[in-house]
Amino acid sequence: MSAPNVDVSQNGNIRTIDSLFTVAEFDESDFSRLLDRPRPLNMERKRSFDERSLNELSIGMSPPPPSRTAEYSCRINDHFENMFSPGRRSGYNTPRSQMGFEPHPMVAEAWEALRRSLVHFRGQPVGTIAALDNSDEKLNYDQVFVRDFVPSALAFLMNGEPEIVRNFLLKTLRLQSWEKKIDRFQLGEGVMPASFKVLHDPVRNSETLIADFGESAIGRVAPVDSGFWWIILLRAYTKSTGDTSLAELPECQKGMRLILSLCLSEGFDTFPTLLCADGCCMIDRRMGVYGYPIEIQALFFMALRCALVLLKQDVEGKEVVEQIVKRLHALSYHMRSYFWLDLKQLNDIYRYKTEEYSHTAVNKFNVIPDSLPDWVFDFMPVRGGYFIGNVSPARMDFRWFCLGNCIAILSSLATPEQSTAIMDLIESRWEELVGEMPLKVCYPALESHDWRIVTGSDPKNTRWSYHNGGSWPVLLWLLTAACIKTGRPQIARRAIELAETRLLKDNWPEYYDGTLGRFIGKQARKSQTWSIAGYLVAKMMLEDPSHLGMISLEEDKQLKPMLRRSNSWTF
């Protein structure tokens, strides 16, 4: 029997509820009232949330002059920011889009599939299930995942349907308040669920919610990224609708503070990055991403920046805002200095001396040059660079991880020069990173002895499969957003055209296998919802680039440190 949970009612009384609660048994007055009351949207254009940036909260730092390419990208982003219209419909549910483009025949099929995946609780849509594939054991693919729902939420927001996103944000916020125990150990109060499931009991005429905070996950790892995605989605909802009332609710303000309190608390860390276990993010199995994985650091940075513009600077919020400002400065410097790799930096590491001591050390993490993998020398182009997978004492994981690098661009963790260099790398290494089906989740794959040691001989993560170098169509939306922000939409268009040759015909697989992504994944589910939604979001952003405003953050000049420029940054 699950441990009871503590809830606080409107009058401040504490009451105990079960982890499995029913509509008949549980009074959700404190949260359901938020779903039931009228929600007028403020469609009037107000001052952009992004305009209240660190410029108003911290001292200035003199940035280096940007390159011409970076200037062009900044102008494009300013244009998208100014032209963004809250509540604007995409037009993809009409025979011909408002922008005059003939939608691809796949679009209608994708929308129909996405709507079939909707999950309802008490008569209201609250999310989309992970997959509609009934040909195999469901496992947890019939649940609503926080990270999986993000592209679905963006699709609905872009199509002018914000209610499901609002319902999802409030429902997951309600689940955050549950008491969370795994083997008698209580998780932090701010942990968001990895997923939840709605169980219908026709006999009792009731519905039951079951949430998973990691206690049922493979490896029993709590989802560090769920809280970050929740904050990012709250900002996207606010940006899309122009409705600030949701983010300003005391419940949402408290939810954000609880999430951030887990990350900003003082400890033994000497780095501003966030220490994590394997399996805490999209790569939710053992893949050697423990420590300081790029995906978590980029999401952490983006969530901090989103929270900075969403949090009220009242008595409770002001202290958190001050912590965020300090952490953002340290985190941006650390990531841009130590996680960034280009040809010059690679050559510097190749010539590192070891056993250096004191503050003057160049090889600050005591990385042994002989640990450099052979593949990275051929992979690194003359023009281009990327944020590597992990940096920690005596360890640099040089693998390319798509999600972390795209989020780095969208959050402006990457400088304009670095963003351009990441795009140059993708173009230069198109066959390796894109191939025949976009997009490699990481590169290269672990093989032989490395695979056995790092993955524990995981049969699902064999070479060029699943998380180990598999190709994931959901990443299309992240690539497209990054391409638009950097002024390179032709890259996204080329990738989407590739996907359109296979995705619908193959019934929207979860992932593809092989060095080129040629084969449907061995254990890939069909009708994978985020493959469907990722395609829709990518198409809608290409049709109307102003949609980028809900998921992209402008560069904050205050966060731009005086970094040493390398040759690959000169264009």
Side-chain angles (χ1 to χ4, degrees):
M1 183 175 179
S2 59
N5 296 300
V6 175
D7 186 38
V8 180
S9 63
Q10 284 179 271
N11 59 15
N13 294 328
I14 297 178
R15 61 180 184 267
T16 301
I17 59 174
D18 290 334
S19 291
L20 305 182
F21 62 90
T22 66
V23 173
E25 297 169 350
F26 177 58
D27 175 18
E28 279 193 309
S29 59
D30 49 351
F31 276 82
S32 62
R33 61 185 170 84
L34 302 174
L35 296 172
D36 296 333
R37 72 186 185 190
R39 310 169 196 83
L41 296 184
N42 180 10
M43 307 306 286
E44 184 179 337
R45 180 64 175 159
K46 292 188 176 181
R47 182 186 184 211
S48 166
F49 268 123
D50 294 337
E51 293 168 24
R52 198 195 108 203
S53 67
L54 286 178
N55 297 329
E56 302 175 7
L57 299 167
S58 60
I59 60 174
M61 298 173 66
S62 300
S67 67
R68 285 181 298 172
T69 305
E71 273 182 12
Y72 176 69
S73 299
C74 290
R75 288 200 302 272
I76 288 177
N77 293 325
D78 291 341
H79 177 62
F80 292 158
E81 170 66 21
N82 293 332
M83 70 183 284
F84 188 83
S85 173
R88 183 177 184 178
R89 296 182 70 83
S90 161
Y92 267 127
N93 56 347
T94 60
R96 186 180 179 87
S97 72
Q98 294 174 355
M99 302 295 288
F101 296 103
E102 288 289 351
H104 193 280
M106 276 176 59
V107 171
E109 297 276 357
W111 270 114
E112 184 179 345
L114 181 60
R115 296 192 189 283
R116 285 199 303 269
S117 72
L118 282 170
V119 173
H120 292 78
F121 180 69
R122 304 179 78 177
Q124 294 180 321
V126 293
T128 52
I129 62 172
L132 279 168
D133 190 353
N134 296 317
S135 63
D136 204 347
E137 184 184 1
K138 283 186 171 57
L139 294 176
N140 56 358
Y141 282 82
D142 61 347
Q143 298 187 26
V144 180
F145 281 81
V146 173
R147 76 173 68 95
D148 290 41
F149 179 67
V150 170
S152 296
L154 295 177
F156 286 118
L157 287 174
M158 291 177 184
N159 204 46
E161 302 177 64
E163 284 301 293
I164 181 177
V165 182
R166 182 185 179 96
N167 294 343
F168 171 86
L169 288 167
L170 288 171
K171 183 52 59 183
T172 46
L173 182 64
R174 175 66 193 87
L175 296 175
Q176 183 196 39
S177 67
W178 284 13
E179 184 182 72
K180 301 169 278 284
K181 282 190 176 181
I182 300 179
D183 293 336
R184 302 182 182 181
F185 179 74
Q186 185 165 320
L187 277 68
E189 188 179 1
V191 173
M192 280 285 183
S195 64
F196 65 87
K197 183 176 182 178
V198 179
L199 293 181
H200 302 271
D201 186 344
V203 177
R204 299 178 60 187
N205 191 28
S206 64
E207 293 177 321
T208 305
L209 274 184
I210 300 178
D212 177 17
F213 294 92
E215 70 271 26
S216 300
I218 295 174
R220 300 301 187 266
V221 178
V224 176
D225 61 338
S226 288
F228 299 152
W229 279 122
W230 188 88
I231 294 175
I232 292 166
L233 187 56
L234 177 61
R235 186 260 178 186
Y237 170 89
T238 305
K239 190 76 171 176
S240 173
T241 63
D243 175 20
T244 62
S245 64
L246 179 61
E248 291 173 352
L249 289 172
E251 296 88 348
C252 285
Q253 292 288 309
K254 180 182 178 183
M256 282 188 283
R257 292 196 303 268
L258 287 175
I259 292 168
L260 297 174
S261 69
L262 293 173
C263 313
L264 299 174
S265 58
E266 297 176 349
F268 290 98
D269 290 315
T270 57
F271 312 139
T273 40
L274 199 61
L275 184 62
C276 301
D278 240 336
C280 64
C281 52
M282 176 183 174
I283 298 178
D284 58 0
R285 301 166 75 94
R286 180 177 164 188
M287 269 291 292
V289 298
Y290 61 89
Y292 306 92
I294 178 60
E295 178 175 334
I296 290 297
Q297 311 315 317
L299 286 171
F300 180 32
F301 182 87
M302 189 167 193
L304 287 176
R305 289 204 62 197
C306 289
L308 187 64
V309 297
L310 293 172
L311 282 170
K312 293 180 179 179
Q313 291 205 53
D314 52 18
V315 175
E316 294 174 303
K318 188 175 181 180
E319 183 179 352
V320 180
V321 167
E322 291 174 353
Q323 289 180 291
I324 291 174
V325 171
K326 293 177 182 178
R327 191 62 166 265
L328 280 172
H329 279 291
L331 184 60
S332 62
Y333 176 83
H334 184 92
M335 296 298 296
R336 293 167 180 175
S337 301
Y338 304 125
F339 274 68
W340 180 253
L341 186 72
D342 56 20
L343 189 60
K344 184 182 185 307
Q345 180 67 8
L346 179 61
N347 198 79
D348 288 346
I349 297 171
Y350 178 71
R351 292 168 51 81
Y352 267 171
K353 296 178 181 178
T354 60
E355 306 301 322
E356 292 182 302
Y357 182 75
S358 86
H359 298 289
T360 60
V362 176
N363 186 1
K364 295 181 184 296
F365 300 97
N366 198 37
V367 174
I368 311 301
D370 286 346
S371 68
L372 282 163
D374 292 337
W375 63 265
V376 75
F377 294 98
D378 294 327
F379 180 71
M380 181 60 67
V382 174
R383 290 163 54 95
Y386 65 103
F387 289 98
I388 64 174
N390 220 316
V391 176
S392 57
R395 179 189 179 214
M396 297 184 79
D397 183 349
F398 291 93
R399 285 177 293 175
W400 150 272
F401 289 88
C402 178
L403 193 152
N405 275 272
C406 287
I407 291 293
I409 292 175
L410 295 177
S411 65
S412 290
L413 170 60
T415 65
E417 296 90 349
Q418 288 173 335
S419 297
T420 299
I422 293 171
M423 288 293 111
D424 285 344
L425 176 84
I426 292 173
E427 281 198 300
S428 298
R429 296 293 175 256
W430 185 264
E431 184 171 335
E432 292 92 333
L433 301 180
V434 181
E436 296 182 16
M437 176 54 67
L439 191 65
K440 287 281 180 240
V441 66
C442 72
Y443 180 89
L446 298 167
E447 303 185 61
S448 306
H449 179 69
D450 287 341
W451 166 75
R452 286 191 292 271
I453 297 299
V454 175
T455 75
S457 300
D458 187 348
K460 193 168 184 177
N461 273 330
T462 54
R463 63 176 188 169
W464 306 114
S465 180
Y466 201 49
H467 297 140
N468 190 14
S471 299
W472 291 70
V474 65
L475 297 172
L476 268 174
W477 81 264
L478 285 158
L479 174 66
T480 301
C483 288
I484 294 172
K485 183 171 184 180
T486 54
R488 313 275 277 273
Q490 71 279 4
I491 299 178
R493 189 172 294 111
R494 182 181 174 191
I496 290 172
E497 288 172 356
L498 269 177
E500 287 176 338
T501 65
R502 295 279 305 276
L503 270 181
L504 180 60
K505 182 175 65 176
D506 295 338
N507 193 15
W508 310 100
E510 178 184 16
Y511 64 94
Y512 286 78
D513 285 350
T515 55
L516 298 177
R518 181 173 293 174
F519 308 101
I520 298 175
K522 287 183 293 184
Q523 298 186 44
R525 294 299 196 279
K526 300 293 186 68
S527 295
Q528 185 79 18
T529 303
W530 70 354
S531 296
I532 298 165
Y535 167 74
L536 283 173
V537 171
K539 291 288 284 188
M540 284 190 280
M541 276 194 291
L542 270 186
E543 180 209 35
D544 184 358
S546 71
H547 287 312
L548 178 69
M550 72 174 71
I551 199 64
S552 175
L553 293 165
E554 300 169 12
E555 182 190 16
D556 195 312
K557 303 296 184 182
Q558 305 298 324
L559 292 177
K560 196 167 186 179
M562 297 294 291
L563 292 180
R564 180 179 53 190
R565 291 172 62 89
S566 67
N567 293 333
S568 71
W569 291 7
T570 304
F571 301 97

